[in-house]
Amino acid sequence: MRKILIVGAGQSGLQLALGLQSHGYEVTVMSNRTADEIRGGRIMSTQCMFDQALQHERDLEINFWENQSPRTEGLGVSVAGPDGSRPVDWLGRLDGHAQSIDQRVKMAGWLETFAQRGGQLVIHGAAVSDLDFLARTYDLVLVAAGKGELVSMFERDAARSPYDEPQRALAVSYVHGLERRPEHPDMLAVRFNLVPGVGELFMIPGYTLSGACDIMFWEGVPGGPLDVFQGVRDPAEHLSLTLELMERFTPWEYARATRVELTDANATLAGRYAPTVRKPVGRLPSGGAVLGVADVVVANDPITGQGSNAAAKCAAVYLDSILERGEKPFDAEWMQATFDRYWETAARHITKWSNALLVPPPAHVLELIGACGQYQALADRFANAFSDPSDLENWFFDPEKARACLAELAAAEPAAEPSA
Protein backbone atom coordinates (compact mmCIF):
# COMPACT_ATOMS: atom_id res chain seq x y z
CA MET A 1 0.00 0.00 0.00
CA ARG A 2 1.16 3.52 -0.75
CA LYS A 3 3.06 5.53 1.85
CA ILE A 4 1.85 9.01 2.79
CA LEU A 5 3.40 11.60 5.10
CA ILE A 6 1.21 14.24 6.75
CA VAL A 7 2.95 17.12 8.51
CA GLY A 8 0.67 18.69 11.09
CA ALA A 9 -1.77 17.31 13.66
CA GLY A 10 -4.76 19.63 13.45
CA GLN A 11 -8.31 19.14 12.18
CA SER A 12 -7.36 18.57 8.54
CA GLY A 13 -4.15 16.60 9.06
CA LEU A 14 -5.53 14.13 11.59
CA GLN A 15 -8.93 13.74 9.92
CA LEU A 16 -7.14 12.92 6.67
CA ALA A 17 -4.67 10.61 8.41
CA LEU A 18 -7.43 8.64 10.14
CA GLY A 19 -9.39 8.45 6.91
CA LEU A 20 -6.44 7.13 4.91
CA GLN A 21 -5.57 4.73 7.70
CA SER A 22 -9.09 3.27 7.57
CA HIS A 23 -8.49 2.49 3.88
CA GLY A 24 -5.25 0.66 4.54
CA TYR A 25 -2.72 3.34 3.59
CA GLU A 26 0.61 3.42 5.39
CA VAL A 27 0.45 6.84 7.01
CA THR A 28 3.02 8.81 9.00
CA VAL A 29 2.01 11.91 10.95
CA MET A 30 4.57 14.47 12.10
CA SER A 31 3.47 16.57 15.06
CA ASN A 32 5.50 19.11 16.99
CA ARG A 33 3.73 18.07 20.22
CA THR A 34 2.65 14.89 21.96
CA ALA A 35 -0.99 14.28 22.90
CA ASP A 36 -0.21 15.15 26.52
CA GLU A 37 1.53 18.36 25.49
CA ILE A 38 -1.50 19.34 23.41
CA ARG A 39 -3.87 18.71 26.33
CA GLY A 40 -1.66 20.70 28.66
CA GLY A 41 -1.19 23.60 26.29
CA ARG A 42 -3.01 26.80 25.45
CA ILE A 43 -6.34 26.84 23.62
CA MET A 44 -5.86 26.98 19.86
CA SER A 45 -9.10 28.30 18.37
CA THR A 46 -12.88 28.64 18.68
CA GLN A 47 -13.55 25.78 16.20
CA CYS A 48 -17.37 25.87 16.07
CA MET A 49 -18.27 23.23 13.48
CA PHE A 50 -21.59 23.04 11.68
CA ASP A 51 -23.55 20.07 10.40
CA GLN A 52 -22.01 19.69 6.94
CA ALA A 53 -18.46 19.61 8.36
CA LEU A 54 -19.42 17.42 11.32
CA GLN A 55 -20.83 14.86 8.89
CA HIS A 56 -17.31 14.19 7.59
CA GLU A 57 -16.29 13.13 11.10
CA ARG A 58 -19.38 10.95 11.42
CA ASP A 59 -18.59 9.30 8.08
CA LEU A 60 -15.18 8.28 9.42
CA GLU A 61 -16.63 7.33 12.83
CA ILE A 62 -14.24 9.66 14.63
CA ASN A 63 -16.93 11.87 16.18
CA PHE A 64 -15.95 10.57 19.62
CA TRP A 65 -17.27 13.53 21.64
CA GLU A 66 -20.52 14.21 19.79
CA ASN A 67 -22.70 12.85 22.59
CA GLN A 68 -20.74 14.62 25.33
CA SER A 69 -20.52 18.10 23.82
CA PRO A 70 -23.40 20.59 24.06
CA ARG A 71 -25.42 20.77 20.85
CA THR A 72 -25.94 24.22 19.40
CA GLU A 73 -29.32 24.46 17.68
CA GLY A 74 -29.45 28.12 16.67
CA LEU A 75 -27.44 31.10 15.50
CA GLY A 76 -28.49 34.65 16.27
CA VAL A 77 -27.37 38.09 15.20
CA SER A 78 -27.48 41.29 17.25
CA VAL A 79 -26.39 44.72 16.05
CA ALA A 80 -25.33 47.20 18.71
CA GLY A 81 -26.67 50.73 18.67
CA PRO A 82 -24.59 53.69 19.91
CA ASP A 83 -26.68 53.85 23.10
CA GLY A 84 -26.20 50.20 24.06
CA SER A 85 -29.48 49.13 22.50
CA ARG A 86 -30.05 46.33 19.98
CA PRO A 87 -31.82 47.72 16.91
CA VAL A 88 -31.37 44.29 15.31
CA ASP A 89 -31.73 41.09 17.33
CA TRP A 90 -32.94 37.74 15.98
CA LEU A 91 -32.33 34.01 16.14
CA GLY A 92 -32.15 31.51 13.28
CA ARG A 93 -32.66 27.78 13.70
CA LEU A 94 -30.06 25.32 12.44
CA ASP A 95 -31.24 22.30 10.42
CA GLY A 96 -28.53 20.19 12.06
CA HIS A 97 -26.75 20.98 15.32
CA ALA A 98 -23.33 22.61 15.61
CA GLN A 99 -20.61 21.83 18.15
CA SER A 100 -17.37 23.38 19.36
CA ILE A 101 -15.00 20.84 20.88
CA ASP A 102 -11.76 22.26 22.29
CA GLN A 103 -9.00 21.21 19.94
CA ARG A 104 -6.89 20.23 22.93
CA VAL A 105 -9.48 17.51 23.58
CA LYS A 106 -10.05 16.48 19.98
CA MET A 107 -6.53 16.59 18.56
CA ALA A 108 -5.00 14.83 21.54
CA GLY A 109 -7.65 12.11 21.30
CA TRP A 110 -7.28 11.72 17.55
CA LEU A 111 -3.49 11.61 17.81
CA GLU A 112 -3.71 8.76 20.33
CA THR A 113 -6.30 6.93 18.20
CA PHE A 114 -4.06 7.21 15.14
CA ALA A 115 -1.13 5.68 17.06
CA GLN A 116 -3.32 2.97 18.64
CA ARG A 117 -4.51 1.94 15.16
CA GLY A 118 -0.93 1.37 14.04
CA GLY A 119 -0.07 4.72 12.52
CA GLN A 120 3.50 5.96 12.55
CA LEU A 121 3.73 9.05 14.75
CA VAL A 122 6.85 11.23 14.70
CA ILE A 123 7.13 14.01 17.30
CA HIS A 124 9.30 16.57 15.58
CA GLY A 125 8.97 20.17 14.44
CA ALA A 126 9.60 19.69 10.73
CA ALA A 127 11.72 22.06 8.66
CA VAL A 128 11.90 22.31 4.88
CA SER A 129 15.20 20.41 4.96
CA ASP A 130 13.49 17.53 6.79
CA LEU A 131 10.81 17.28 4.14
CA ASP A 132 13.38 17.46 1.38
CA PHE A 133 15.00 14.33 2.81
CA LEU A 134 11.81 12.48 3.79
CA ALA A 135 9.92 13.10 0.54
CA ARG A 136 12.11 10.57 -1.25
CA THR A 137 10.67 7.73 0.84
CA TYR A 138 6.96 8.64 0.52
CA ASP A 139 4.55 8.56 -2.40
CA LEU A 140 2.90 11.78 -1.20
CA VAL A 141 3.75 14.51 1.31
CA LEU A 142 0.95 16.73 2.62
CA VAL A 143 1.69 19.87 4.65
CA ALA A 144 -1.11 20.59 7.11
CA ALA A 145 0.84 22.76 9.57
CA GLY A 146 -0.38 26.29 8.93
CA LYS A 147 2.36 28.21 10.74
CA GLY A 148 6.12 28.48 10.64
CA GLU A 149 8.79 27.85 8.05
CA LEU A 150 6.88 25.28 5.99
CA VAL A 151 4.26 27.82 4.89
CA SER A 152 7.00 29.75 3.07
CA MET A 153 7.10 26.97 0.45
CA PHE A 154 3.67 28.02 -0.79
CA GLU A 155 3.46 31.15 -2.93
CA ARG A 156 0.84 33.76 -2.05
CA ASP A 157 -1.98 33.88 -4.59
CA ALA A 158 -2.33 37.64 -5.01
CA ALA A 159 -5.44 37.39 -7.18
CA ARG A 160 -7.32 35.63 -4.36
CA SER A 161 -5.75 37.54 -1.44
CA PRO A 162 -7.09 41.11 -1.26
CA TYR A 163 -5.54 41.82 2.16
CA ASP A 164 -1.87 42.29 3.02
CA GLU A 165 -2.47 43.08 6.70
CA PRO A 166 -4.60 41.56 9.47
CA GLN A 167 -8.14 42.88 9.38
CA ARG A 168 -9.05 41.98 12.96
CA ALA A 169 -7.34 41.67 16.33
CA LEU A 170 -8.52 38.43 17.93
CA ALA A 171 -9.10 37.62 21.61
CA VAL A 172 -10.64 34.39 22.95
CA SER A 173 -11.66 33.25 26.44
CA TYR A 174 -13.13 29.89 27.50
CA VAL A 175 -15.35 30.26 30.56
CA HIS A 176 -17.68 28.49 32.95
CA GLY A 177 -20.65 30.25 34.53
CA LEU A 178 -22.19 32.08 31.57
CA GLU A 179 -25.96 32.37 31.90
CA ARG A 180 -28.34 31.54 29.05
CA ARG A 181 -29.83 34.29 26.91
CA PRO A 182 -33.19 35.09 28.58
CA GLU A 183 -34.89 35.35 25.16
CA HIS A 184 -34.27 31.65 24.48
CA PRO A 185 -33.24 29.91 27.70
CA ASP A 186 -33.98 26.44 26.31
CA MET A 187 -31.99 26.73 23.07
CA LEU A 188 -28.22 26.77 22.86
CA ALA A 189 -27.15 29.23 20.17
CA VAL A 190 -24.10 30.92 18.78
CA ARG A 191 -24.54 34.67 19.18
CA PHE A 192 -22.97 36.97 16.55
CA ASN A 193 -22.88 40.52 17.94
CA LEU A 194 -21.89 43.25 15.49
CA VAL A 195 -20.61 46.59 16.80
CA PRO A 196 -20.45 48.79 13.68
CA GLY A 197 -17.02 50.28 13.07
CA VAL A 198 -15.59 48.57 16.15
CA GLY A 199 -15.73 44.79 15.66
CA GLU A 200 -17.66 41.66 16.58
CA LEU A 201 -18.30 39.55 19.66
CA PHE A 202 -19.11 35.86 19.30
CA MET A 203 -20.58 33.81 22.13
CA ILE A 204 -20.20 30.09 21.40
CA PRO A 205 -21.32 27.07 23.46
CA GLY A 206 -18.41 24.66 23.71
CA TYR A 207 -16.84 21.60 25.30
CA THR A 208 -13.42 21.67 26.93
CA LEU A 209 -11.16 19.61 29.19
CA SER A 210 -13.48 20.23 32.15
CA GLY A 211 -16.74 19.67 30.27
CA ALA A 212 -19.34 22.08 28.91
CA CYS A 213 -18.22 25.69 28.62
CA ASP A 214 -18.78 28.88 26.65
CA ILE A 215 -16.37 30.72 24.38
CA MET A 216 -16.27 34.53 24.32
CA PHE A 217 -14.48 35.76 21.23
CA TRP A 218 -13.78 39.39 20.34
CA GLU A 219 -12.75 40.42 16.82
CA GLY A 220 -11.59 44.04 16.86
CA VAL A 221 -10.83 46.45 14.03
CA PRO A 222 -7.04 47.06 14.30
CA GLY A 223 -6.26 50.31 16.09
CA GLY A 224 -9.80 50.53 17.47
CA PRO A 225 -11.11 50.23 21.04
CA LEU A 226 -11.08 46.41 20.96
CA ASP A 227 -7.43 46.23 19.91
CA VAL A 228 -6.09 46.11 23.47
CA PHE A 229 -5.02 42.49 23.98
CA GLN A 230 -1.61 42.54 22.35
CA GLY A 231 1.02 42.05 25.04
CA VAL A 232 -1.47 40.86 27.68
CA ARG A 233 0.00 37.70 29.18
CA ASP A 234 -1.99 37.29 32.39
CA PRO A 235 -5.18 35.23 31.78
CA ALA A 236 -7.07 37.09 34.52
CA GLU A 237 -6.25 40.43 32.89
CA HIS A 238 -7.33 39.05 29.52
CA LEU A 239 -10.72 38.03 30.95
CA SER A 240 -11.12 41.33 32.76
CA LEU A 241 -10.52 43.26 29.52
CA THR A 242 -12.96 41.00 27.70
CA LEU A 243 -15.68 41.74 30.24
CA GLU A 244 -14.98 45.49 30.33
CA LEU A 245 -15.43 45.65 26.57
CA MET A 246 -18.62 43.60 26.77
CA GLU A 247 -20.04 45.96 29.38
CA ARG A 248 -19.21 48.93 27.15
CA PHE A 249 -20.30 47.65 23.74
CA THR A 250 -22.64 44.65 24.31
CA PRO A 251 -24.26 45.15 27.73
CA TRP A 252 -26.87 42.44 27.02
CA GLU A 253 -24.07 39.88 26.78
CA TYR A 254 -22.21 41.31 29.77
CA ALA A 255 -25.37 40.92 31.87
CA ARG A 256 -25.13 37.13 31.62
CA ALA A 257 -21.36 37.03 32.13
CA THR A 258 -21.00 38.69 35.52
CA ARG A 259 -20.13 35.40 37.27
CA VAL A 260 -17.92 33.74 34.67
CA GLU A 261 -14.50 32.30 35.38
CA LEU A 262 -11.87 30.86 33.07
CA THR A 263 -12.07 27.12 32.51
CA ASP A 264 -8.33 26.67 33.15
CA ALA A 265 -5.04 28.56 33.26
CA ASN A 266 -4.52 28.17 29.49
CA ALA A 267 -8.02 29.25 28.42
CA THR A 268 -7.13 32.56 26.73
CA LEU A 269 -5.67 33.36 23.34
CA ALA A 270 -4.91 36.55 21.41
CA GLY A 271 -3.37 37.27 18.03
CA ARG A 272 -3.92 38.41 14.46
CA TYR A 273 -3.06 37.33 10.94
CA ALA A 274 -3.70 38.48 7.39
CA PRO A 275 -6.25 36.40 5.47
CA THR A 276 -4.27 34.70 2.70
CA VAL A 277 -4.79 32.24 -0.14
CA ARG A 278 -1.65 30.44 -1.30
CA LYS A 279 -0.87 28.29 -4.30
CA PRO A 280 -1.23 24.64 -3.31
CA VAL A 281 1.95 23.07 -4.68
CA GLY A 282 5.09 23.69 -2.66
CA ARG A 283 8.51 23.02 -4.11
CA LEU A 284 11.32 21.47 -2.11
CA PRO A 285 14.96 22.48 -2.66
CA SER A 286 15.56 19.22 -4.51
CA GLY A 287 12.66 19.91 -6.85
CA GLY A 288 10.09 17.59 -5.27
CA ALA A 289 6.50 18.71 -4.80
CA VAL A 290 4.36 18.75 -1.66
CA LEU A 291 0.65 19.54 -1.34
CA GLY A 292 -0.66 22.18 1.06
CA VAL A 293 -3.74 21.39 3.12
CA ALA A 294 -6.49 23.57 4.65
CA ASP A 295 -5.23 26.81 6.24
CA VAL A 296 -1.74 26.31 4.81
CA VAL A 297 -3.27 27.31 1.49
CA VAL A 298 -6.56 29.03 2.44
CA ALA A 299 -6.41 30.96 5.72
CA ASN A 300 -9.48 33.14 6.22
CA ASP A 301 -10.27 35.52 9.03
CA PRO A 302 -12.46 33.68 11.57
CA ILE A 303 -15.25 36.25 11.28
CA THR A 304 -17.55 33.62 9.74
CA GLY A 305 -16.35 30.80 12.00
CA GLN A 306 -15.24 28.67 9.09
CA GLY A 307 -11.70 27.58 10.01
CA SER A 308 -12.38 24.07 11.29
CA ASN A 309 -15.30 23.66 8.89
CA ALA A 310 -13.04 24.45 5.94
CA ALA A 311 -10.35 22.12 7.30
CA ALA A 312 -12.82 19.24 7.56
CA LYS A 313 -14.14 19.85 4.05
CA CYS A 314 -10.61 20.09 2.65
CA ALA A 315 -9.61 16.81 4.29
CA ALA A 316 -12.72 15.11 2.88
CA VAL A 317 -12.01 16.32 -0.67
CA TYR A 318 -8.34 15.33 -0.44
CA LEU A 319 -9.24 11.88 0.91
CA ASP A 320 -11.58 11.22 -2.00
CA SER A 321 -8.99 12.45 -4.50
CA ILE A 322 -6.25 10.24 -3.04
CA LEU A 323 -8.49 7.18 -3.05
CA GLU A 324 -9.54 7.83 -6.64
CA ARG A 325 -5.90 8.16 -7.74
CA GLY A 326 -5.15 4.52 -7.06
CA GLU A 327 -1.59 3.68 -8.06
CA LYS A 328 -1.05 6.67 -10.36
CA PRO A 329 1.62 9.20 -9.36
CA PHE A 330 0.75 12.07 -7.04
CA ASP A 331 2.36 14.61 -9.36
CA ALA A 332 2.05 18.41 -9.33
CA GLU A 333 -0.80 18.35 -11.86
CA TRP A 334 -2.81 16.02 -9.61
CA MET A 335 -2.02 18.23 -6.60
CA GLN A 336 -3.30 21.33 -8.38
CA ALA A 337 -6.43 19.51 -9.56
CA THR A 338 -7.11 18.24 -6.03
CA PHE A 339 -6.85 21.74 -4.60
CA ASP A 340 -9.00 23.14 -7.41
CA ARG A 341 -11.71 20.66 -6.46
CA TYR A 342 -11.60 21.87 -2.86
CA TRP A 343 -11.60 25.51 -3.98
CA GLU A 344 -14.61 25.09 -6.25
CA THR A 345 -16.72 23.02 -3.88
CA ALA A 346 -16.01 24.85 -0.61
CA ALA A 347 -13.10 27.25 -0.21
CA ARG A 348 -14.13 29.90 -2.72
CA HIS A 349 -17.53 30.33 -1.05
CA ILE A 350 -15.98 30.55 2.41
CA THR A 351 -13.31 33.01 1.27
CA LYS A 352 -15.78 35.27 -0.51
CA TRP A 353 -18.08 35.38 2.49
CA SER A 354 -15.31 35.90 5.06
CA ASN A 355 -13.74 38.74 3.09
CA ALA A 356 -17.15 40.36 2.52
CA LEU A 357 -17.86 40.58 6.25
CA LEU A 358 -14.55 42.31 6.96
CA VAL A 359 -15.72 45.52 5.26
CA PRO A 360 -18.70 47.79 6.04
CA PRO A 361 -21.77 46.04 4.62
CA PRO A 362 -23.48 47.44 1.52
CA ALA A 363 -27.07 48.65 1.72
CA HIS A 364 -28.64 45.43 0.49
CA VAL A 365 -26.81 43.36 3.13
CA LEU A 366 -27.99 45.73 5.87
CA GLU A 367 -31.52 45.29 4.54
CA LEU A 368 -31.17 41.51 4.57
CA ILE A 369 -29.83 41.43 8.14
CA GLY A 370 -32.69 43.63 9.28
CA ALA A 371 -35.24 41.52 7.40
CA CYS A 372 -34.09 38.40 9.24
CA GLY A 373 -35.85 39.87 12.27
CA GLN A 374 -39.11 39.96 10.31
CA TYR A 375 -38.93 36.69 8.39
CA GLN A 376 -38.05 33.54 10.31
CA ALA A 377 -37.33 31.69 7.06
CA LEU A 378 -34.63 34.22 6.19
CA ALA A 379 -33.11 34.06 9.68
CA ASP A 380 -32.97 30.27 9.37
CA ARG A 381 -31.40 30.53 5.93
CA PHE A 382 -28.69 32.88 7.20
CA ALA A 383 -27.96 30.57 10.15
CA ASN A 384 -27.63 27.53 7.90
CA ALA A 385 -25.23 29.36 5.60
CA PHE A 386 -22.63 28.73 8.31
CA SER A 387 -22.93 25.06 7.42
CA ASP A 388 -23.21 25.56 3.65
CA PRO A 389 -21.90 28.98 2.57
CA SER A 390 -22.48 28.17 -1.11
CA ASP A 391 -26.16 29.08 -0.65
CA LEU A 392 -25.15 32.72 -0.14
CA GLU A 393 -24.51 33.02 -3.88
CA ASN A 394 -28.28 32.71 -4.39
CA TRP A 395 -29.37 35.67 -2.26
CA PHE A 396 -26.69 37.44 -0.21
CA PHE A 397 -23.96 38.94 -2.38
CA ASP A 398 -25.89 40.38 -5.31
CA PRO A 399 -28.36 43.30 -4.75
CA GLU A 400 -30.76 42.01 -7.41
CA LYS A 401 -30.86 38.52 -5.93
CA ALA A 402 -31.34 40.03 -2.47
CA ARG A 403 -34.32 42.05 -3.66
CA ALA A 404 -35.81 38.99 -5.35
CA CYS A 405 -35.36 36.97 -2.15
CA LEU A 406 -37.10 39.61 -0.05
CA ALA A 407 -39.94 39.95 -2.56
CA GLU A 408 -40.48 36.20 -2.51
CA LEU A 409 -40.55 36.17 1.29
CA ALA A 410 -42.99 39.10 1.42
CA ALA A 411 -45.35 37.27 -0.91
CA ALA A 412 -45.18 34.01 1.01
CA GLU A 413 -44.99 35.08 4.63
CA PRO A 414 -46.47 38.08 6.48
CA ALA A 415 -43.69 40.09 8.09
CA ALA A 416 -43.38 39.72 11.84
CA GLU A 417 -42.77 42.63 14.12
CA PRO A 418 -39.00 43.12 14.62
CA SER A 419 -37.86 41.61 17.91
CA ALA A 420 -36.54 43.89 20.61
Side-chain angles (χ1 to χ4, degrees):
M1 183 53 75
R2 311 192 79 179
K3 294 178 63 177
I4 294 178
L5 171 64
I6 299 174
V7 183
Q11 174 73 40
S12 59
L14 286 174
Q15 180 183 317
L16 183 55
L18 289 163
L20 289 167
Q21 191 178 50
S22 70
H23 287 276
Y25 284 73
E26 187 178 334
V27 185
T28 300
V29 168
M30 292 187 73
S31 170
N32 63 353
R33 292 188 293 171
T34 66
D36 285 342
E37 287 170 339
I38 291 170
R39 282 195 190 92
R42 187 166 296 279
I43 59 172
M44 294 179 273
S45 68
T46 55
Q47 76 277 308
C48 186
M49 294 181 66
F50 295 86
D51 185 59
Q52 198 177 77
L54 289 173
Q55 188 58 48
H56 295 306
E57 297 183 2
R58 299 181 194 118
D59 291 343
L60 295 175
E61 298 182 351
I62 56 173
N63 55 327
F64 304 141
W65 303 273
E66 186 155 8
N67 293 327
Q68 297 169 250
S69 173
R71 298 188 176 204
T72 296
E73 297 174 330
L75 184 140
V77 171
S78 303
V79 179
D83 57 354
S85 64
R86 283 174 280 170
V88 173
D89 187 58
W90 49 261
L91 176 68
R93 295 179 295 252
L94 294 169
D95 293 337
H97 70 263
Q99 291 183 305
S100 177
I101 298 170
D102 187 341
Q103 290 195 343
R104 295 177 298 179
V105 173
K106 184 190 284 188
M107 301 315 148
W110 278 359
L111 204 61
E112 289 172 339
T113 298
F114 173 76
Q116 289 164 3
R117 292 178 178 177
Q120 179 69 31
L121 178 60
V122 177
I123 306 301
H124 180 66
V128 173
S129 57
D130 296 317
L131 297 195
D132 204 28
F133 173 77
L134 291 168
R136 304 166 197 169
T137 61
Y138 288 91
D139 297 298
L140 174 63
V141 175
L142 299 128
V143 179
K147 298 175 183 176
E149 176 190 336
L150 299 185
V151 179
S152 65
M153 290 191 295
F154 301 92
E155 180 186 351
R156 180 175 179 270
D157 188 337
R160 292 172 170 170
S161 304
Y163 301 114
D164 294 316
E165 302 291 336
Q167 298 300 297
R168 293 292 189 272
L170 316 173
V172 182
S173 304
Y174 283 31
V175 298
H176 292 310
L178 184 72
E179 296 178 5
R180 295 282 185 93
R181 271 277 196 120
E183 306 96 314
H184 49 88
D186 298 324
M187 179 186 286
L188 283 178
V190 172
R191 298 302 314 202
F192 186 178
N193 300 277
L194 289 83
V195 186
V198 176
E200 301 82 27
L201 172 68
F202 297 86
M203 309 289 280
I204 305 168
Y207 180 83
T208 186
L209 300 162
S210 49
C213 69
D214 285 277
I215 300 168
M216 307 191 304
F217 173 31
W218 274 115
E219 284 222 348
V221 174
L226 302 179
D227 188 5
V228 293
F229 291 89
Q230 200 164 10
V232 175
R233 297 289 178 264
D234 178 52
E237 183 183 355
H238 181 111
L239 179 59
S240 179
L241 274 173
T242 296
L243 294 170
E244 287 174 19
L245 294 167
M246 289 170 64
E247 185 176 22
R248 177 180 173 187
F249 292 108
T250 58
W252 58 90
E253 298 291 18
Y254 175 75
R256 62 192 187 109
T258 55
R259 294 196 292 269
V260 300
E261 57 184 23
L262 293 172
T263 60
D264 61 88
N266 291 314
T268 60
L269 180 68
R272 67 189 73 202
Y273 61 89
T276 307
V277 177
R278 299 181 181 90
K279 296 181 179 179
V281 182
R283 286 292 177 181
L284 297 166
S286 62
V290 297
L291 176 58
V293 185
D295 60 358
V296 170
V297 284
V298 183
N300 288 302
D301 187 278
I303 193 166
T304 56
Q306 293 297 299
S308 292
N309 295 273
K313 293 172 183 179
C314 182
V317 169
Y318 281 25
L319 175 61
D320 287 345
S321 187
I322 291 168
L323 296 179
E324 291 166 6
R325 192 64 172 170
E327 295 300 317
K328 296 177 184 177
F330 297 115
D331 53 26
E333 290 74 20
W334 173 86
M335 292 180 181
Q336 183 66 55
T338 296
F339 171 79
D340 290 344
R341 184 170 165 183
Y342 165 54
W343 178 260
E344 287 301 316
T345 57
R348 69 184 179 96
H349 303 293
I350 293 169
T351 299
K352 184 176 182 178
W353 187 31
S354 300
N355 288 341
L357 290 195
L358 290 171
V359 298
H364 77 276
V365 169
L366 291 174
E367 186 178 2
L368 287 167
I369 291 174
C372 286
Q374 299 173 279
Y375 299 108
Q376 186 62 50
L378 187 61
D380 295 348
R381 190 172 189 180
F382 184 90
N384 285 289
F386 284 76
S387 180
D388 181 12
S390 67
D391 179 53
L392 295 164
E393 293 286 351
N394 301 316
W395 63 280
F396 186 81
F397 296 114
D398 180 80
E400 290 297 325
K401 291 181 179 179
R403 279 191 286 271
C405 173
L406 292 173
E408 183 178 338
L409 285 167
E413 176 185 346
E417 289 296 322
S419 57

